[in-house]
Amino acid sequence: MLPGLVPRNAVRRRDDRDHADRIALSAATTDGVHMRTEDVRAWIAERREANTFHVERIPFADMDQWWFEEATGNLVHRSGRFFAIEGLHVVEHDGPHGDGPYREWQQPVIKQPEVGILGILAKEFDGVLHFLMQAKMEPGNPNLIQLSPTVQATRSNYTKAHGGTNVKLIEYFAPPDPERVIVDVLQAEQGSWFFRKSNRNMIVETVDDVPGVGDFRWLTLGQIAELMHEDETINMNARSVLSCLPYHDTDPGALFSDVQLLSWFTNERSRHDVRAQRIPLKDVGGWKQGVEAIEHEDGRFFNVRAVAVKGSNREKISWTQPLLESVGEGVVAFLRREIGGVPHVLVHARADAGFLDTVELAPTVQRTPLNYAHLPAENRPPFLDFVQDAPRSRIRYEAVHSEEGGRFLNARARYLVVDADETVDPPPGFAWVTPAQLTTLTRHGHYVSVEARTLLACINAAVAQPRANAVIDFPSVHGKARA
């Protein structure tokens, strides 16, 4: 027995295979015991009406408890908690010993050393696993309220550093009952906007009577999968957590063995040399600071803004904070093809300056087209034009999802799974893998990027079936059937 782990003998231990059977059943169940899927949108609208929500852009000088440090120009909270906006100087070499082509740039970045908790509570009703989802307001979401994990809290939140109320149901996750854990893994957030930020992604089962009332509702995985077809309904943190569920591999027969895949991935980590150094925000070149925004000189990438927020169902009712505002809508896509009759997706070993370990497996395309519109075709990112111009007949999945609304303002991307040409020859840094291989890697931290986890959650929930009814093909996962 590990120190600090006390067994609870009343609970039968379950292994991943047992969990996978129950997860498959939940994914195949589209009728929940507490709410019909078609009623969820009306419920979210009702929660929006039942609470007071208001987000207003303000000048930096009007922020309460936030200030620009005199020595560094960093935007920090007076408590020293939460997060800070600092500068980052990056030199990226693409060669085995740092001797290949390189890029160099500077940018603002979010430094948030705290590890937050993203926790979903699970419980069986009528023999089917349900997951407790919260209709949560985040100031950066365009529609404000989306379905989030049961608990979505930074350490400052659940230790009440801001003087707010208790985080509801935090007792199931900090710490969890070790006999009831289904998922517990540290995962990174956006490496392009955060500097080495991780959250604890958790799913914990309970037998307690936890009512789905107010801002909370119990839903099956099948219901959640249907809602992932809707624009901006399931938030980023929920998508990340759900991607880590242990599913069955319904299509064994990957192009590369797990050992070969890990060797390729290790080689990609070894050949990239990304040197990211935190610098004072006031020293960041190529950016200009005004009264209400910090912006890139070319008007691309993102802005830093300040907002004043009121949210009557939050632990703290009103506050101010900075947010990173996206410039343009992103495109995030997996190319997909069958190899030997087995569905594969094309992953990109992406090196972002904010990653803890240089490289994570990302979607085939993860770009904001506006940032590349000025470039000639030969200099545009691989597959971006192919994905943007894909006809409806090639699109297997499509929805617009928001990114993390607690730190980003109006950061939205069009998420897609697109059939590739059979002749696609992956360039260096790309490889064909099965969704099951990616799912296995989500059980470990810092392998699969948050954008890839979103697409993986959509794929897995759509194709999961009980073992006896396992599907062979990777079906269309549009909200509507393909023509």
Side-chain angles (χ1 to χ4, degrees):
M1 176 61 61
L2 295 176
L5 296 187
V6 180
R8 304 192 182 183
N9 296 326
V11 179
R12 182 173 67 88
R13 298 189 182 196
R14 298 179 184 269
D15 59 20
D16 276 359
R17 195 164 186 81
D18 186 16
H19 285 314
D21 283 337
R22 301 162 73 221
I23 289 161
L25 177 60
S26 182
T29 304
T30 55
D31 294 321
V33 298
H34 293 138
M35 174 174 279
R36 299 184 307 169
T37 309
E38 56 265 33
D39 295 333
V40 173
R41 275 200 172 277
W43 169 64
I44 293 175
E46 180 270 323
R47 297 319 300 164
R48 190 177 289 112
E49 292 296 322
N51 294 283
T52 300
F53 301 117
H54 182 71
V55 179
E56 178 184 4
R57 300 186 192 202
I58 59 173
F60 290 126
D62 289 353
M63 285 195 298
D64 181 34
Q65 301 299 313
W66 291 85
W67 64 303
F68 289 99
E69 286 183 326
E70 184 174 350
T72 65
N74 294 345
L75 184 52
V76 300
H77 194 267
R78 292 185 184 275
S79 68
R81 302 286 293 274
F82 302 104
F83 64 97
I85 308 295
E86 302 181 354
L88 196 66
H89 183 183
V90 186
V91 179
E92 178 183 350
H93 294 268
D94 187 8
H97 305 291
D99 55 357
Y102 75 93
R103 298 185 302 141
E104 183 174 7
W105 74 93
Q106 295 180 348
Q107 66 170 87
V109 72
I110 300 174
K111 180 68 173 69
Q112 184 174 347
E114 296 182 344
V115 174
I117 289 178
L118 309 177
I120 297 179
L121 203 59
K123 183 178 179 178
E124 279 194 3
F125 294 94
D126 295 342
V128 178
L129 270 181
H130 287 60
F131 300 86
L132 190 61
M133 307 301 291
Q134 180 184 178
K136 188 176 183 68
M137 178 269 197
E138 292 290 352
N141 289 337
N143 57 355
L144 292 182
I145 292 185
Q146 296 181 20
L147 293 186
S148 81
T150 315
V151 167
Q152 178 179 308
T154 65
R155 182 180 296 275
S156 293
N157 287 143
Y158 64 80
T159 59
K160 298 191 286 186
H162 52 36
T165 60
N166 292 327
V167 174
K168 294 178 181 178
L169 304 174
I170 187 65
E171 63 272 15
Y172 287 96
F173 304 96
D177 176 349
E179 299 288 350
R180 283 290 177 178
V181 172
I182 298 175
V183 168
D184 193 357
V185 59
L186 286 178
Q187 296 286 10
E189 298 209 9
Q190 285 85 350
S192 55
W193 286 359
F194 281 106
F195 184 74
R196 299 180 180 175
K197 173 71 173 72
S198 296
N199 277 323
R200 191 175 179 182
N201 286 230
M202 308 175 72
I203 298 178
V204 177
E205 190 174 356
T206 185
V207 293
D208 296 344
D209 181 18
V210 180
V213 296
D215 294 326
F216 297 87
R217 286 294 185 274
W218 291 101
L219 300 173
T220 69
L221 191 55
Q223 291 181 289
I224 296 169
E226 289 190 14
L227 293 168
M228 283 190 186
H229 301 198
E230 303 287 338
D231 291 347
E232 299 181 297
T233 300
I234 308 294
N235 85 351
M236 187 201 81
N237 294 318
R239 302 189 306 263
S240 175
V241 175
L242 293 167
S243 73
C244 302
L245 282 166
Y247 286 86
H248 288 302
D249 183 357
T250 58
D251 293 296
L255 177 63
F256 299 110
S257 70
D258 291 348
V259 171
Q260 290 172 324
L261 173 60
L262 287 173
S263 177
W264 171 80
F265 181 62
T266 301
N267 182 69
E268 288 299 312
R269 278 188 166 170
S270 300
R271 77 177 182 87
H272 285 277
D273 181 11
V274 180
R275 303 175 188 180
Q277 180 181 2
R278 294 159 56 200
I279 62 174
L281 183 61
K282 68 180 180 64
D283 292 342
V284 171
W287 295 71
K288 56 185 180 180
Q289 180 173 329
V291 173
E292 295 189 350
I294 300 172
E295 304 169 293
H296 191 267
E297 291 176 348
D298 295 333
R300 293 195 291 268
F301 308 116
F302 62 90
N303 305 320
V304 181
R305 299 277 187 179
V307 295
V309 186
K310 290 184 179 179
S312 61
N313 68 342
R314 292 292 299 255
E315 292 83 18
K316 189 171 178 62
I317 293 175
S318 63
W319 70 95
T320 60
Q321 69 170 93
L323 291 171
L324 267 59
E325 178 185 42
S326 178
V327 176
E329 185 175 283
V331 173
V332 180
F334 271 140
L335 289 188
R336 175 259 185 210
R337 65 169 291 194
E338 289 187 6
I339 301 174
V342 177
H344 286 66
V345 294
L346 188 61
V347 297
H348 177 209
R350 181 181 171 101
D352 274 341
F355 283 155
L356 181 65
D357 202 355
T358 311
V359 165
E360 294 193 7
L361 296 179
T364 320
V365 173
Q366 180 186 315
R367 304 290 181 179
T368 300
L370 183 64
N371 293 334
Y372 305 92
H374 63 293
L375 298 177
E378 61 271 19
N379 292 336
R380 289 165 63 81
F383 308 112
L384 175 59
D385 292 335
F386 180 88
V387 166
Q388 284 193 283
D389 299 336
R392 176 61 53 183
S393 60
R394 284 187 177 271
I395 298 176
R396 295 269 176 159
Y397 173 85
E398 181 178 15
V400 174
H401 293 300
S402 299
E403 306 306 333
E404 213 279 287
R407 298 293 177 265
F408 309 142
L409 180 63
N410 297 329
R412 309 163 77 238
R414 182 182 174 218
Y415 278 80
L416 302 126
V417 178
V418 179
D419 282 335
D421 287 328
E422 294 299 311
T423 58
V424 167
D425 184 20
F430 291 79
W432 290 107
V433 306
T434 67
Q437 288 178 305
L438 287 181
T439 298
T440 298
L441 290 176
T442 64
R443 306 290 280 173
H444 310 278
H446 307 288
Y447 278 86
V448 183
S449 76
V450 66
E451 294 85 359
R453 296 198 303 272
T454 278
L455 283 172
L456 187 61
C458 299
I459 291 169
N460 281 342
V463 303
Q465 295 289 334
R467 194 181 306 160
N469 301 314
V471 294
I472 296 175
D473 198 8
F474 182 105
S476 170
V477 286
H478 278 306
K480 298 180 179 179
R482 291 178 64 188

